[in-house]
Amino acid sequence: MTRSALARVRLQFDDEASRTKAAASPPPPVTVAQPVKRTVTDWDEFTGRFEAIEEVQVRARVGGFVNSVEFKDGAIVHAGDLLYIIDPRPFEAVASQAQGQLDDARAKAGLAKRELDRGLNLVQTSAVSVQVVDQRRQALQAAYAAETQAEGALKAAQLNVEFTHVLAPITGRVSRHLVTPGNLVQGADSGATLLTSIVSLDPIYIYFDVDEATYRRNSKLWFEGKRPSSRDTSNPVQVALTGERKPSHDGKMDFLDNRLDISTATLRSRAIVPNKDLSILPGQFGRVRIIGSSPYEALLIPDAAIATDQSRKIVFVVKEDNTVEARPVVLGPLDEGLRVIREGLKAEDHVIVDGLQRARVGAKVTPKMAQAPAGDKATAGATP
């Protein structure tokens, strides 16, 4: 026998041995589980930006030289805390002058009152004429008017003295000081100088834009009585900060705008979020989740059990004869780490959750029943 003939015989022998070995090997093992059935609620998710509920630009209300800065840059201040001291001496001098003018006006009013009283007594005996009494009555009224003017001037002067002590109008975190001691600041009458700013932190707003399709769907649910409207109900929201995979803050809806933005076809919405630890700052981004459906019964499986076949999502189901079938499915959102399956599965199906790489459509497998699928809590709140 030639060498080539021997090679062909050896190749045929190897092929037969391989087929015999494959036929003798058992079907590959896989882990299967039945879908979890439970009541879930869909959530809509949007990108939002945090903004302070209160924000104040602190400006000088009187002009003068700054004596001192009484706060630490970036600190938490409370309403009424002292921030700046502007030299009060010029305003105290004006207040003293106004006090003297008020004392003088009161003295003149007292004298006019006594003269009028004497005139009223004398007119009864015709010692003075009625004309003199009328003149004294007019003089008393003028004295009272002068006293009122002096009181107003004194109050204005005292206010200016008070304004030299710049106080925090709200509680919140203060920015840096923009004016250092020794600098001249302008008052409100001539373009008030900006001294610093304060923003409130707890609670805090988050603004986000709802697309028109979501707004129409939620409106339909409201008309059908399946979902309360956020216009008259403080619907709960969940917020995840940048870098977080699941929500870390709870809040409630606070505002919906009265019209859609014609350029973006979105509705400006707002939620209010507690911020006890003051970790959220205005300007930060966050992912906002808001109720998007009424509660309903759903089937859920782990995301690891879902494969992609071109443009379709599929799962592998083990039939009664232990053969594998590819089942197209329609996915819903994640709920506590498990994926909602809207269409394509039944509660009694056995879905391959481990060993997908060993499964072949139409081939037999050795299924092993797993415990009820447990979701990865870290992925709760993600979107498909």
Side-chain angles (χ1 to χ4, degrees):
M1 185 178 291
T2 64
R3 183 175 299 177
S4 61
L6 286 172
R8 285 195 298 271
V9 170
R10 186 178 292 112
L11 182 60
Q12 291 175 359
F13 178 78
D14 291 343
D15 289 343
E16 290 177 0
S18 298
R19 286 194 294 270
T20 302
K21 183 179 179 180
S25 62
V30 295
T31 303
V32 298
Q34 290 182 310
V36 175
K37 185 177 182 179
R38 67 171 177 238
T39 301
V40 300
T41 301
D42 289 344
W43 294 76
D44 297 319
E45 187 166 323
F46 308 95
T47 298
R49 184 187 288 273
F50 290 98
E51 291 188 17
I53 293 179
E54 295 180 297
E55 180 176 357
V56 175
Q57 291 185 336
V58 181
R59 296 181 180 272
R61 303 181 72 172
V62 293
F65 288 92
V66 175
N67 279 356
S68 62
V69 179
E70 302 293 330
F71 66 93
K72 181 180 178 181
D73 291 357
I76 294 295
V77 297
H78 298 85
D81 286 354
L82 181 62
L83 302 180
Y84 281 88
I85 296 179
I86 300 172
D87 187 1
R89 291 173 298 176
F91 304 99
E92 290 172 346
V94 174
S96 298
Q97 183 180 6
Q99 181 66 60
Q101 292 174 346
L102 175 60
D103 293 341
D104 179 65
R106 285 174 176 171
K108 290 179 178 178
L111 176 61
K113 179 67 169 57
R114 290 191 297 272
E115 289 183 348
L116 176 61
D117 290 340
R118 285 196 297 268
L120 291 174
N121 292 329
L122 293 174
V123 75
Q124 297 176 1
T125 60
S126 300
V128 297
S129 65
V130 174
Q131 182 180 4
V132 171
V133 172
D134 291 340
Q135 291 174 347
R136 293 182 179 181
R137 183 178 287 112
Q138 189 274 334
L140 177 61
Q141 291 173 349
Y144 282 152
E147 182 181 354
T148 300
Q149 290 177 343
E151 287 176 348
L154 177 60
K155 288 181 179 179
Q158 290 172 338
L159 276 177
N160 286 336
V161 173
E162 182 180 331
F163 291 157
T164 61
H165 288 64
V166 181
L167 307 180
I170 64 172
T171 297
R173 190 176 297 281
V174 68
S175 181
R176 64 186 179 91
H177 64 279
L178 301 178
V179 179
T180 55
N183 282 287
L184 179 66
V185 296
Q186 301 296 325
D189 294 337
S190 55
T193 302
L194 178 63
L195 302 177
T196 188
S197 62
I198 305 173
V199 293
S200 64
L201 295 178
D202 181 33
I204 194 168
Y205 285 145
I206 184 167
Y207 284 89
F208 56 97
D209 295 321
V210 176
D211 59 274
E212 185 175 359
T214 301
Y215 171 71
R216 286 175 56 83
R217 173 167 53 80
N218 290 343
S219 294
K220 181 179 179 182
L221 291 174
W222 174 66
F223 281 120
E224 294 173 351
K226 298 179 180 179
R227 178 187 181 277
S229 171
S230 294
R231 290 196 183 278
D232 48 33
T233 303
S234 298
N235 284 326
V237 300
Q238 298 176 348
V239 180
L241 304 181
T242 302
E244 295 179 342
R245 300 184 63 189
K246 64 179 181 179
S248 59
H249 292 75
D250 295 320
K252 59 184 180 180
M253 287 299 298
D254 180 68
F255 163 76
L256 290 179
D257 210 344
N258 59 0
R259 68 185 68 188
L260 268 69
D261 189 310
I262 59 174
S263 60
T264 61
T266 56
L267 181 70
R268 175 54 58 97
S269 307
R270 183 180 72 196
I272 187 169
V273 180
N275 186 26
K276 299 297 183 183
D277 59 359
L278 308 182
S279 60
I280 305 174
L281 294 179
Q284 281 186 241
F285 284 98
R287 297 290 294 173
V288 183
R289 299 175 71 227
I290 183 171
I291 291 176
S293 75
S294 56
Y296 64 94
E297 292 291 327
L299 299 178
L300 303 96
I301 63 174
D303 254 350
I306 302 170
T308 301
D309 179 15
Q310 295 181 349
S311 61
R312 300 185 307 168
K313 296 294 184 180
I314 60 173
V315 297
F316 293 103
V317 177
V318 177
K319 299 191 293 186
E320 293 183 358
D321 60 357
N322 289 344
T323 58
V324 178
E325 175 189 6
R327 191 81 60 81
V329 292
V330 177
L331 304 183
L334 277 175
D335 184 80
E336 295 184 358
L338 296 178
R339 179 68 63 182
V340 173
I341 304 299
R342 299 198 186 278
E343 298 178 12
L345 279 184
K346 302 181 211 177
E348 62 271 15
D349 286 334
H350 290 75
V351 180
I352 298 178
V353 296
D354 189 23
L356 291 179
Q357 68 278 8
R358 297 188 292 271
R360 297 292 182 270
V361 176
K364 286 197 172 186
V365 293
T366 303
K368 176 185 176 183
M369 184 62 69
Q371 300 292 332
D376 177 12
K377 300 296 184 181
T379 61
T383 53

